[in-house]
Amino acid sequence: MSSSKSRPIASSSASHNSPSPRPHSTQTPSKAYLVVDTTLRFTLTPHEYRILHDYLVRRSPSKFLRRKAPSPSHFDDVSRRRNEYFAASIRNAGRLFLICLAGLEGWEFVKGRIAARARRGRAVTQQTTATRRTPFLSSPSFRLSASVSAILFLHRSLHRFFTRLRANLLTRDALPFRRRNPRISKLLVAKLTAAVVSSLSVFALGMYPGEPLRVTVAIWVVTKALEFAYNAVEMKGILGLGKDTRPWWFGSWMLMPFVCGQLLHAAVMERDCFPKSYGDFILDWSPRYVERRPTQYPAGKPWPKNDQVFEGFTSITKMNWPPFISPILFPSAKLSASLAPIAPVVSTAHPSITNLSCALLHPHDPSCLRTYISFFPQALLDFTKFWTVVYGLFSLPRYKAYLKDPAHELNKFAQKVFRSSMFLSGAIGTAWGSICLFQAYLPRKNIPSQRWFWGGFIGGMWAFVDRKNSRGNVMYSVRASLESVWKVGVKHGWWKSGKNLDLWILMMGMMLLNVIYESNPEAVSSGILKKGLALMRGDHSKEKERSRLKSISEERSKT
């Protein structure tokens, strides 16, 4: 009887001393709680939620929020039990989408404001109104952001799936499957299968209709992949191209003659297939060639612009390099209608000049050799100022090295500036001077249009001067040349651009990039791109650890 009376007392005391259970631990969670929990998992990492909980939830005046919000430990447990990789993929893809969308929309807003202030005309207003009427889901910014985020999500998902599939097929339990399907198993258990298959994700860029941007991205990825492939070949010493076995003169500078030749030929003969910014850079940095508008020239009279100068060279080439008849000596001499835009320059040229191209290049100096020699001092001084500013900005993150050994670093900086200045000065001056050279020694009808290629080829040989530090400049020019070649091929019908050929090229470049990163990560010399590839594969934490260990080993080797 006494024992039966003591039982309820014990049970009541136990229930009184034990803490009240949390609703998410023992009770069945409500639908609203599951929605909040899932939303948090796909939005925040455990570390981010812990920070948010410490700074907002604990300090919130709402008792309901403090009582109902999941604790950081519970959030960690849920993230470990469930598929955190899938949640991280969704989270990263969503963040990338929002960042791209905000950046593109912000840029469009700023660009529209600048255009509206620059010109307040009816055409601009109508264009802005038409742009606003475009549906949001069909806007280029939304489609580009969606395609980029889709590439990230598909790449991570495909890489994860085939990596886990390979791990499962290599177990003893999968031995019967490997025996029944030897060819498929050999393909699926290959080390590079995940890297190759995940490259198919770049086809999601097809959601974006802007083909020029897709071509630019494809060319950039392909050139980067080839650059890293060369690094891998150099590191392994294949074909005698190791750092210690290759010839001293061998390097990426050897591409520059072909690139300069193609670009100069396209600038004159294929104006619509040539990057305008590249042509403006050449003409703006040609102080002794291509006459500038005089300060005392009447404001109401026209003066040829950069495009009209190139069009003048195009007409001269198609006319087989005609001689120059000075209007000063022969007032009745008139230019053809196609050469009318350059008439203000050539009409005042020196009477002793005999070639029309020389009258356009250096109208006030009859000597081609003197013009070529006098080009270098002024161009070299201008390029020295230019590269000093550019390299100075890129050297700011390395200020500690300058403070530690200023003499050595400043000497390297001066050599880099001088070599790059000599390279560009020599390339531009020689490209223009070679046209005068061909006029002096070649008949008028001999290779009339190919002279531009060979003039650029000779000018590109100056890259030898800056062969040790010119890879960045060379690769930029290579990408510009390949983009120009693509447009020339589309124009002449060598290939068609409407068959998603650019996406196939992008896929092959991405495939090569993934294979190189999988087999030899050290060949990827760009730290930013290496982190981007690690993020696309979902192992950026491993990349951080690898870079940390590498920096530690480098510091130990220095000490």
Side-chain angles (χ1 to χ4, degrees):
M1 187 74 179
S2 61
S3 62
S4 62
K5 291 181 180 180
S6 63
R7 285 180 185 175
I9 297 174
S11 62
S12 63
S13 62
S15 62
H16 177 73
N17 295 330
S18 62
S20 59
R22 292 186 63 87
H24 55 264
S25 59
T26 59
Q27 298 178 359
T28 303
S30 62
K31 291 184 178 181
Y33 185 85
L34 290 176
V35 170
V36 173
D37 195 13
T38 305
T39 304
L40 289 175
R41 265 198 330 114
F42 282 90
T43 307
L44 301 172
T45 63
H47 178 68
E48 293 169 349
Y49 180 76
R50 185 178 296 274
I51 295 175
L52 180 67
H53 190 274
D54 292 341
Y55 282 89
L56 293 180
V57 178
R58 285 186 178 180
R59 302 180 183 183
S60 176
S62 175
K63 295 182 179 180
F64 177 81
L65 181 61
R66 293 197 303 268
R67 183 163 46 89
K68 292 294 184 180
S71 63
S73 58
H74 167 73
F75 193 80
D76 291 342
D77 295 338
V78 172
S79 300
R80 291 193 193 97
R81 289 197 304 266
R82 299 181 183 179
N83 189 0
E84 179 59 22
Y85 189 90
F86 177 75
S89 300
I90 294 290
R91 182 169 57 245
N92 291 330
R95 291 180 179 181
L96 181 61
F97 171 79
L98 294 177
I99 292 173
C100 292
L101 185 62
L104 293 173
E105 288 293 334
W107 169 246
E108 289 295 331
F109 177 79
V110 172
K111 189 168 63 173
R113 286 287 185 177
I114 294 174
R117 286 188 177 184
R119 333 175 212 175
R120 300 182 179 273
R122 184 179 301 176
V124 177
T125 305
Q126 291 177 355
Q127 183 180 0
T128 306
T129 305
T131 305
R132 289 177 180 174
R133 291 177 181 175
T134 304
F136 176 71
L137 297 180
S138 301
S139 62
S141 56
F142 176 82
R143 298 178 71 172
L144 179 59
S145 304
S147 61
V148 171
S149 58
I151 289 174
L152 176 61
F153 175 74
L154 292 175
H155 193 282
R156 290 186 62 147
S157 301
L158 290 173
H159 190 273
R160 170 76 168 182
F161 175 78
F162 282 93
T163 301
R164 297 186 67 180
L165 180 62
R166 177 178 181 268
N168 292 331
L169 289 178
L170 290 175
T171 59
R172 183 176 299 178
D173 296 337
L175 184 59
F177 177 82
R178 295 201 304 267
R179 289 176 177 175
R180 290 194 308 267
N181 306 281
R183 294 183 179 179
I184 297 178
S185 300
K186 186 177 181 181
L187 185 64
L188 292 177
V189 300
K191 185 180 179 181
L192 301 177
T193 298
V196 172
V197 177
S198 59
S199 304
L200 299 174
S201 61
V202 298
F203 281 105
L205 191 61
M207 291 188 293
Y208 181 69
E211 184 179 344
L213 179 61
R214 284 163 37 177
V215 172
T216 302
V217 172
I219 291 174
W220 186 86
V221 172
V222 169
T223 52
K224 279 294 180 182
L226 293 177
E227 182 180 356
F228 298 148
Y230 174 77
N231 291 344
V233 170
E234 186 180 54
M235 293 172 65
K236 295 183 179 180
I238 303 174
L239 301 177
L241 296 180
K243 291 184 178 181
D244 300 329
T245 58
R246 69 182 181 186
W248 63 271
W249 46 264
F250 189 85
S252 58
W253 73 270
M254 299 173 64
L255 298 173
M256 205 61 186
F258 301 95
V259 168
C260 291
Q262 189 278 326
L263 286 174
L264 189 58
H265 183 271
V268 178
M269 305 307 298
E270 306 286 352
R271 286 290 304 139
D272 53 341
C273 304
F274 179 74
K276 186 177 182 301
S277 58
Y278 208 95
D280 293 340
F281 180 84
I282 294 175
L283 291 181
D284 292 340
W285 294 88
S286 301
R288 292 290 298 177
Y289 293 101
V290 187
E291 186 71 14
R292 301 289 186 272
R293 185 188 184 98
T295 55
Q296 68 275 13
Y297 195 76
K301 292 186 178 182
W303 188 265
K305 300 179 181 179
N306 290 344
D307 292 339
Q308 293 174 330
V309 171
F310 279 117
E311 290 173 0
F313 283 123
T314 305
S315 302
I316 292 173
T317 304
K318 292 180 179 179
M319 296 167 64
N320 291 328
W321 305 92
F324 174 64
I325 301 175
S326 175
I328 299 176
L329 297 179
F330 303 94
S332 60
K334 295 183 179 180
L335 295 174
S336 61
S338 60
L339 298 175
I342 63 172
V345 178
V346 299
S347 60
T348 59
H350 199 280
S352 62
I353 296 177
T354 58
N355 298 314
L356 186 58
S357 60
C358 296
L360 182 57
L361 282 174
H362 46 90
H364 300 303
D365 193 344
S367 174
C368 299
L369 180 60
R370 184 167 56 244
T371 302
Y372 176 69
I373 294 175
S374 61
F375 168 83
F376 279 89
Q378 186 176 354
L380 190 60
L381 179 61
D382 294 339
F383 277 118
T384 300
K385 297 177 182 177
F386 172 76
W387 285 119
T388 300
V389 174
V390 173
Y391 287 147
L393 293 176
F394 282 105
S395 300
L396 290 178
R398 300 182 60 254
Y399 70 95
K400 292 184 179 179
Y402 284 87
L403 295 176
K404 186 177 181 180
D405 193 356
H408 176 69
E409 294 296 332
L410 288 175
N411 184 32
K412 287 173 56 178
F413 180 82
Q415 290 184 7
K416 197 173 182 180
V417 169
F418 178 74
R419 289 178 181 274
S420 298
S421 303
M422 280 296 298
F423 162 45
L424 285 184
S425 302
I428 295 176
T430 304
W432 291 125
S434 61
I435 302 304
C436 299
L437 180 67
F438 294 147
Q439 281 284 83
Y441 292 100
L442 291 179
R444 289 175 46 197
K445 296 184 179 180
N446 192 0
I447 57 171
S449 61
Q450 286 78 14
R451 297 182 185 187
W452 295 105
F453 173 81
W454 291 112
F457 185 91
I458 297 173
M461 297 292 289
W462 278 89
F464 177 80
V465 177
D466 194 27
R467 63 187 181 276
K468 294 182 179 180
N469 302 312
S470 63
R471 175 178 280 195
N473 299 328
V474 169
M475 297 310 298
Y476 172 79
S477 301
V478 166
R479 286 190 285 271
S481 178
L482 289 177
E483 191 168 355
S484 175
V485 169
W486 173 271
K487 295 179 181 178
V488 171
V490 172
K491 178 181 177 180
H492 293 282
W494 299 343
W495 46 72
K496 295 182 180 180
S497 61
K499 300 296 182 181
N500 291 328
L501 182 60
D502 51 349
L503 296 180
W504 284 98
I505 295 175
L506 176 60
M507 186 270 293
M508 290 187 289
M510 193 67 194
M511 188 181 299
L512 180 59
L513 203 60
N514 279 333
V515 168
I516 294 172
Y517 182 76
E518 180 71 30
S519 58
N520 191 0
E522 298 300 325
V524 182
S525 55
S526 174
I528 298 177
L529 190 56
K530 187 182 293 186
K531 292 179 181 178
L533 289 173
L535 179 64
M536 293 182 69
R537 294 156 59 97
D539 53 359
H540 49 285
S541 58
K542 296 180 181 179
E543 181 58 37
K544 289 181 180 179
E545 183 67 17
R546 189 187 297 124
S547 60
R548 187 182 67 85
L549 294 176
K550 182 180 178 181
S551 61
I552 292 175
S553 62
E554 289 178 354
E555 291 179 359
R556 289 179 178 176
S557 61
K558 289 180 181 180
T559 55

